[in-house]
Amino acid sequence: MRAARLPHVESEILRILRTLSGLFVLVSAPALAQSVEAELQCRLTRTDYVYDCTIRLARGGRPLSGAQVTMDADMPSMPMKHSVKPVKAKPGPKPGEYEAQLDLEMLGEWAVKLRLASPVKDQLILHYDFDETGARPVIRPGKPLRK
């Protein structure tokens, strides 16, 4: 026995699917285009391994102000052994800037985690090399630098 085809039902289902797929594109495209970019500048204080850091956040090429930013760090070469407890960043002097003090346990490469809340919720992990002069992004061959 063969099921009867109902062309009007099939066409209605196709119309609904097309509408839903169009909505998905409209909703997801701006979200992807509006990813948060971060830049970190840190300078060593007079205390060993303590850095004053400025975090610059942007979204869609514009400074991201009003965010709640928490920063912590882990040493990728020694996971779970060297980690820094989270600190809340304060708004800086310019739009999209935030300031926090990072108290590390030693020099070397650290994965700095930025957790953002309100107006966007996101987490960024930035790999930086900390030394006596400050901090620089770690650049590995073949991997693009994520700001």
Side-chain angles (χ1 to χ4, degrees):
M1 178 183 239
R2 191 170 186 172
R5 293 191 64 177
L6 302 171
H8 64 284
V9 172
E10 289 175 355
S11 65
E12 184 64 19
I13 290 172
L14 285 173
R15 186 188 67 75
I16 291 170
L17 287 174
R18 282 190 201 109
T19 302
L20 289 175
S21 67
L23 287 175
F24 176 74
V25 170
L26 289 174
V27 170
S28 65
L32 292 174
Q34 297 293 317
S35 63
V36 177
E37 296 176 344
E39 180 185 335
L40 187 65
Q41 287 186 332
C42 297
R43 66 183 181 287
L44 187 63
T45 65
R46 293 181 183 210
T47 306
D48 285 347
Y49 315 126
V50 177
Y51 293 82
D52 285 330
C53 297
T54 300
I55 304 157
R56 288 187 185 85
L57 299 177
R59 185 175 179 200
R62 295 181 175 206
L64 177 62
S65 297
Q68 296 172 15
V69 181
T70 304
M71 179 170 68
D72 64 82
D74 290 307
M75 194 164 228
S77 63
M78 297 181 230
M80 307 287 275
K81 183 162 175 112
H82 294 287
S83 61
V84 175
K85 67 179 182 176
V87 293
K88 289 188 178 184
K90 298 176 183 169
K94 296 179 183 174
E97 283 190 355
Y98 302 86
E99 296 176 341
Q101 196 169 72
L102 198 54
D103 188 355
L104 302 176
E105 297 171 356
M106 63 192 314
L107 302 177
E109 181 181 340
W110 288 82
V112 178
K113 295 182 191 105
L114 302 175
R115 289 182 177 87
L116 312 178
S118 179
V120 292
K121 186 172 182 173
D122 203 348
Q123 176 175 299
L124 305 170
I125 301 174
L126 308 172
H127 288 261
Y128 273 71
D129 188 30
F130 288 82
D131 61 21
E132 303 84 11
T133 61
R136 286 172 306 289
V138 172
I139 300 172
R140 292 192 173 79
K143 290 193 174 187
L145 176 65
R146 179 179 180 202
K147 281 192 167 186

